[in-house]
Amino acid sequence: MTPNVIPCRKISRGKAQGEVIISHDPLSFLGGVDPDTGNVRDRGHELYQQNISGKILVIPSGKGSTVGSYVIFQMAKNNTAPLAIIAQEAEPIIATGAIMASIPMVDHPEEDFLEILTNGDLVEVDADSGIIKIKK
């Protein structure tokens, strides 16, 4: 049975609800995502040519340069950022970017969400309470 509520750790406060876009690959925002469009432009990435804007981004972690934090911040200014980020492990680059951009972010879920969630699922990220609610 799929749990409807998954406890996790708060990284960046806030709440957001939306459609999930999942990657099993870590994501680099610097060079990997176009901040003007929200399209993933890393040719070797699972989400290549897909748009993460206005979605709940589900990733194992981030990777790459610290400048990736500023790319996330720029995406928020451009209205091309994800609504929220769910990660298995929030490394400092994406965590800092989410905090700077006021994007709700959680990590360390108590369930393997990469196995539970599928693209297009509706979820609510309540980082203030440290939970993910699956709406499916």
Side-chain angles (χ1 to χ4, degrees), residues 7-124:
C8 49
R9 179 176 73 162
K10 173 178 106 173
I11 300 298
S12 178
R13 66 187 179 94
K15 295 180 187 177
Q17 180 173 296
E19 183 180 306
V20 165
I21 186 165
I22 298 175
S23 173
H24 295 84
D25 298 334
L27 182 63
S28 172
F29 279 82
L30 179 63
V33 180
D34 183 341
D36 294 325
T37 64
N39 291 332
V40 175
R41 60 182 177 194
D42 176 351
R43 292 181 187 274
H45 198 275
E46 177 182 1
L47 297 179
Y48 177 60
Q49 294 186 325
Q50 294 186 52
N51 192 286
I52 62 172
S53 300
K55 298 206 170 116
I56 307 294
L57 179 62
V58 178
I59 54 175
S61 67
K63 65 177 185 175
S65 168
T66 55
V67 178
S69 300
Y70 296 100
V71 173
I72 295 169
F73 181 74
Q74 186 61 49
M75 290 178 74
K77 294 291 184 193
N78 293 346
N79 294 313
T80 61
L83 294 173
I85 302 172
I86 301 171
Q88 284 177 320
E89 181 65 41
E91 47 65 57
I93 297 164
I94 290 189
T96 301
I99 292 165
M100 287 172 35
S102 297
I103 297 170
M105 182 175 182
V106 295
D107 78 345
H108 292 193
E110 291 186 9
E111 302 287 334
D112 186 356
F113 62 85
L114 290 173
E115 295 299 322
I116 294 169
L117 297 174
T118 58
N119 283 321
D121 283 349
L122 184 63
V123 301
E124 177 183 332

